[in-house]
Structure formats: structure tokens, C-alpha cells
Amino acid sequence: MIAVDVATVELSGRRVTADDEAKRRLAYLLSRSLAEEGISEDLIDTLEEAFADRPGCAARSRKLDGLLIRLGLPVRRLRPPRVAPLSEDAVKRITDRFRRATRQLLQVVPHRVTLYPIEELCILLALRDEQPDPDEALPYLRRYALAILALLDLMGDDE
């Protein structure tokens, strides 16, 4: 037997208003407009991959912390967690995806914003042309992802 709470019963008995239908239609059309312009879920997944934390080796010993606490000494200060570097294949794949998105954004953005975003597009073009060192690949990809997100935000498709 399935347990149904009161809120579910109230929502299931509520009629769909014209306002609800308009919101659903608008959400559908916005997602279609992004897909038609080539900004797909694949780009969103790639952006999330660039920002994902990949924990490296643990830099903190719990035994030592426990010993310090028992002796009444302060615990060592935490260093920022290490992030495992991306593989060369992942860097190449993400960079290629971001460069394709840059070409698409250059064509789409002028038609989707009221004021032409000169500064944001200049940053995006500079990042597209940059060739980072392998040890600087992750910060570079994160800067590139932030530049893409800034333009997507200006387009207003995530509202």
C-alpha cells in the first residue's frame, strides 16, 4: 500500500489553471530555443564537469588531530583540499566542447540580448585563443566555463 500525504492529495485535486499551462509552455519553449541554437544539455554537463571537485590525496591525518586534541593543543590549520588533475583526454574534450560553444554563442548572443556584451565576448574570445600549460588546465577550464555561464546568464534562458 502506498502512503500519500495531505499535500499530495491537495495537489492532485487542484485544477490546472491557465497560468500553470502558460508557465509549462514557456519552460518548454525556452528549453527548445536553447536546443535549436545548439546549446544543449551536453554543454551544461560539460560545464558541471569543469567545476566538479575531484578529490586528490587526503592531506589531513585524523589520528594526529585526535592526539593533538587529547594533549590540549590546537589542531593544525586546514589547507585547501587538493584537486586531482584532469586527464589530457578530458582536457582536450572539454576544451573542444567549449570552443564549439563559443562559435555558437558568437552567432546567437547578439540576437538574444538587448545590449551587446562586448566585454564578455572579448573575454570569451581571449579564452578560446589561449593555450594553457598542462598544469594550468583546470583553472583555465574553470575560467572558460565562467565566461560561458556569464553569457548564458545575459541571454536569460535560465529564468
Side-chain angles (χ1 to χ4, degrees), residues 109-110 113 115-122 151 154:
V109 167
V113 295
L115 294 173
Y116 193 77
I118 295 170
E119 185 177 339
E120 287 84 358
L121 286 173
C122 287
L151 282 171
L154 287 174

Side-chain angles (χ1 to χ4, degrees), residues 125-142:
L125 290 173
L127 287 166
R128 178 194 66 185
D129 297 336
E130 190 176 330
Q131 297 295 325
D133 295 329
D135 57 336
E136 292 295 318
L138 185 59
Y140 162 74
L141 290 174
R142 288 182 172 174

Side-chain angles (χ1 to χ4, degrees), residues 77-98:
R77 292 183 71 174
L78 283 176
R79 292 191 174 158
R82 293 185 183 185
V83 177
L86 290 169
S87 68
E88 288 182 30
D89 293 336
V91 170
K92 184 177 180 335
R93 181 180 45 75
I94 293 171
T95 304
D96 289 343
R97 181 63 187 109
F98 285 172

